[in-house]
Amino acid sequence: GPADAERVAATIESLKAQRYAVWRLVVGWSEAGVAILTDDARIAQRVWPASACLGDLLNGDSALALLAPGDTLDPDALAILVRALAEPDRPQMVYADAQGEGPDPTPALKPDWSPDLALTTAYPGTPTLYAGGLLERLKAIPLGAPDAFAVRLGLAAVYHAGRDEVAHVPRVLARVAPPPPDSAERHTASLQTHLTETRRPARVEAHPTGFDLLWALPEPPPLASVVIPSRDRLDLIRVAADGVLNGTDYPAIELVIV
């Protein structure tokens, strides 16, 4: 919206500073009559088409990145991410580390690919490039409300991407705007909707520090063998065995004391 104009301008300037110059930007405004003055032919501005699909925003583009107002890329970011797409294993989703805004920003050093963690935390975040067959599979996603699209796109990417199609560049390549205060609640709602729509047997369980993704156990549940090296210490064996036998409600446990 209009309140984001200054932050959008900062994002645009970071794109203009890219050493990789083959890019195109579509700025989607939440209302008509708002625009950033620019004479750069690579930049198009329009009202966010909530009823359209992602493919309607693409114009033969071979890769896609989503940026929020205020996100800024390091000058080498696009060059590094595009080069990663050309690695021998040909990933179709590439993400890198980032740093938050603020007086004492802390880098977000992200782990390598973990689908469940990505579902619950959306940790790939910015910057992420989607390309190839994965981008083709994502084109049908409805755009919907602009403030929820990034989460829904990330969830859909987890669903469609193969484990060997995702690569992590362990380098801080972006400065990202802080998330809105209600981002966790919106993420939880979007995740539950995603699980329902994709018929995945899991549910979201909230707790004071976030939420977990709980998958339904198969029937019958697989046997879990717990091995306790004893060292002839009955006092320690008693504590460990009590935790295993009485501290969990998992029904299929085998306790082995060595």
Side-chain angles (χ1 to χ4, degrees):
D4 290 324
E6 184 175 339
R7 300 176 67 80
V8 171
T11 300
I12 290 175
E13 287 306 310
S14 80
L15 281 170
K16 289 182 176 180
Q18 292 299 300
R19 293 187 173 88
Y20 184 87
V22 187
W23 54 263
R24 185 179 72 91
L25 174 66
V26 178
V27 181
W29 296 100
S30 59
E31 57 188 79
V34 184
I36 298 292
L37 293 177
T38 178
D39 58 359
D40 195 317
R42 297 172 295 181
I43 300 173
Q45 303 182 64
R46 58 182 296 183
V47 175
W48 179 262
S51 61
C53 294
L54 176 60
D56 297 325
L57 292 182
L58 303 176
N59 185 24
D61 304 303
S62 57
L64 167 75
L66 195 67
L67 298 174
D71 290 345
T72 58
L73 300 176
D74 284 8
D76 289 326
L78 286 182
I80 292 172
L81 293 171
V82 169
R83 185 166 64 243
L85 290 174
E87 291 294 324
D89 51 356
R90 294 289 178 178
Q92 298 181 22
M93 174 179 168
V94 177
Y95 64 96
D97 300 336
Q99 183 169 304
E101 290 182 343
D104 186 23
T106 301
L109 304 180
K110 304 169 186 176
D112 284 343
W113 184 236
S114 169
D116 272 15
L117 186 62
L119 284 175
T120 57
T121 66
Y123 74 86
T126 301
T128 297
L129 273 187
Y130 305 96
L134 174 60
L135 183 57
E136 285 295 322
R137 296 190 289 273
L138 295 174
K139 284 183 177 180
I141 298 174
L143 294 178
D147 57 354
F149 180 67
V151 171
R152 292 193 296 104
L153 177 62
L155 295 174
V158 175
Y159 179 74
H160 287 290
R163 184 173 291 273
D164 59 350
E165 293 179 337
V166 185
H168 171 218
V169 176
R171 179 169 170 178
V172 174
L173 295 180
R175 305 296 184 271
V176 297
D182 63 342
S183 59
E185 290 79 3
R186 287 193 283 108
H187 186 152
T188 304
S190 295
L191 176 55
Q192 190 61 71
T193 299
H194 169 78
L195 294 171
T196 301
E197 291 176 346
T198 56
R199 299 182 179 181
R200 307 185 79 180
R203 61 183 175 86
V204 180
E205 181 177 87
H207 53 78
T209 59
F211 55 90
D212 290 323
L213 192 61
L214 304 182
W215 293 93
L217 289 173
E219 191 61 46
L223 177 67
S225 297
V226 180
V227 179
I228 301 179
S230 67
R231 296 288 294 178
D232 302 322
R233 289 288 304 275
L234 184 59
D235 55 333
L236 299 180
I237 295 173
R238 184 178 293 110
V239 173
D242 181 67
V244 172
L245 297 176
N246 302 315
T248 176
D249 58 2
Y250 187 75
I253 295 179
E254 174 186 62
L255 178 61
V256 180
I257 300 176
V258 180

